Amino acid sequence: MSQFRLTQISDTHLARRLAKLTDNFHRVAAHIDATRPDLVINSGDLAFDAPTSPNDLTFAKSLHAELPVACRYLPGNHDIGDNPTAVGPVPSHPASEQHLQSYRAVIGEDRWRFDEAGWCFVGLNSLIMNTGLGSEAEQFDWLASELSRTNGRPVALFVHKPLYLDAPDDPELEASAIRYVPQPARARLIEMFGAVDLRLIASGHVHQRRDFTYGRVRHVWAPSAGFIIPDKRQERIALKETGLVEYRFTPDSFEVRHVRAPGQIDVDLDELHQKAPAS
């Protein structure tokens, strides 16, 4: 295949009780139907809150199953729980093997690698990093094996959490540590990917659209497909809007388009909390 068209959606946060988020997903689905990429990747937080409402994940999978193209998925903190950090509060719902097994039972694999258009695509579960779980060690072992077989191909990495805000050595801060891949797992990842031709890191989680380059690596933060977080709850780093990201990969290069699906609206998180009935 001389080119590979990929659409990234993220942070869909689907739940049967939240009709506005379902409506936004249907608008995204219609756009995917109209554009027909080769693959859709949801980079995490498929569900509104699977650790407390497991049916959210089942509902999310049922909607994705109706998309007209193949999908790959990565877990987010609202799918399997969050990872601990050296600073900041302990997660109210920590990532666990039990949550991960529930995710795998409904969604499937939580990490993957495939090759298309001369590229190597790697998807990692960023929520088990820094947990000490057995699955964390297994994933690092698996990653080392996969990276040893890239054979010089350019690499695109997909994760739920961005690796960092601006630079690899950004300090972890209590107010924002939960937003990025925690140390020391972050440093280990950066070292491992330093041995290959990493060109792209695509993530979600922050609900803000951002696109910047550090060194040779382009960092693309996909916005939420579902809702925005108001400034009083979260600092404004980049653009707060709902939307998705489209990529076109050709051997040794790629293009990025930042788009919104026709009819997609900016649902405010506070509005959801005010109107959502108890699950």
Side-chain angles (χ1 to χ4, degrees), residues 66-268:
E66 296 174 359
L67 292 174
V69 299
C71 295
R72 288 182 181 264
Y73 310 93
L74 293 170
N77 48 300
H78 286 268
D79 301 321
I80 66 167
D82 219 330
N83 32 12
T85 60
V87 298
V90 174
S92 55
H93 298 287
S96 68
E97 296 288 5
Q98 181 180 356
H99 289 326
L100 180 55
Q101 290 306 319
S102 297
Y103 172 91
R104 288 172 174 166
V106 175
I107 303 299
E109 60 188 355
D110 61 306
R111 64 179 189 235
W112 35 259
R113 176 260 173 95
F114 64 91
D115 298 336
E116 288 288 354
W119 283 72
C120 172
F121 296 86
V122 177
L124 293 179
N125 179 346
S126 60
L127 280 307
I128 55 174
M129 295 177 186
N130 201 42
T131 60
L133 297 174
S135 55
E136 179 187 13
E138 290 170 9
Q139 178 170 251
F140 273 120
D141 288 345
W142 172 88
L143 178 61
S145 176
E146 295 301 324
L147 293 182
S148 72
R149 301 188 298 108
T150 60
N151 298 322
R153 296 184 190 92
V155 176
L157 170 63
F158 285 79
V159 282
H160 181 61
K161 289 189 172 184
L163 264 63
Y164 46 78
L165 174 61
D166 292 316
D169 58 353
D170 282 348
E172 287 189 301
L173 305 175
E174 184 172 352
S176 60
I178 209 73
R179 197 175 290 152
Y180 308 104
V181 172
Q183 296 284 21
R186 179 201 308 171
R188 185 175 179 185
L189 275 182
I190 291 168
E191 181 181 6
M192 293 176 74
F193 279 94
V196 300
D197 185 13
L198 180 65
R199 305 274 188 93
L200 168 68
I201 300 176
S203 59
H205 183 58
V206 187
H207 289 238
Q208 299 190 42
R209 187 192 292 284
R210 192 170 185 226
D211 190 335
F212 72 99
T213 299
Y214 182 91
R216 294 192 64 208
V217 182
R218 188 166 176 180
H219 297 251
V220 175
W221 296 10
S224 168
F227 64 84
I228 60 171
I229 303 173
D231 290 353
K232 64 184 178 182
R233 286 180 175 266
Q234 179 204 55
E235 67 177 306
R236 183 178 291 266
I237 301 168
L239 182 60
K240 291 190 174 184
E241 68 172 16
T242 58
L244 57 146
V245 186
E246 296 176 338
Y247 304 84
R248 187 174 73 92
F249 293 88
T250 56
D252 206 42
S253 68
F254 68 102
E255 299 171 0
V256 179
R257 290 185 67 235
H258 296 280
V259 300
R260 280 164 67 91
Q264 202 172 4
I265 63 172
D266 291 336
V267 179
D268 188 287

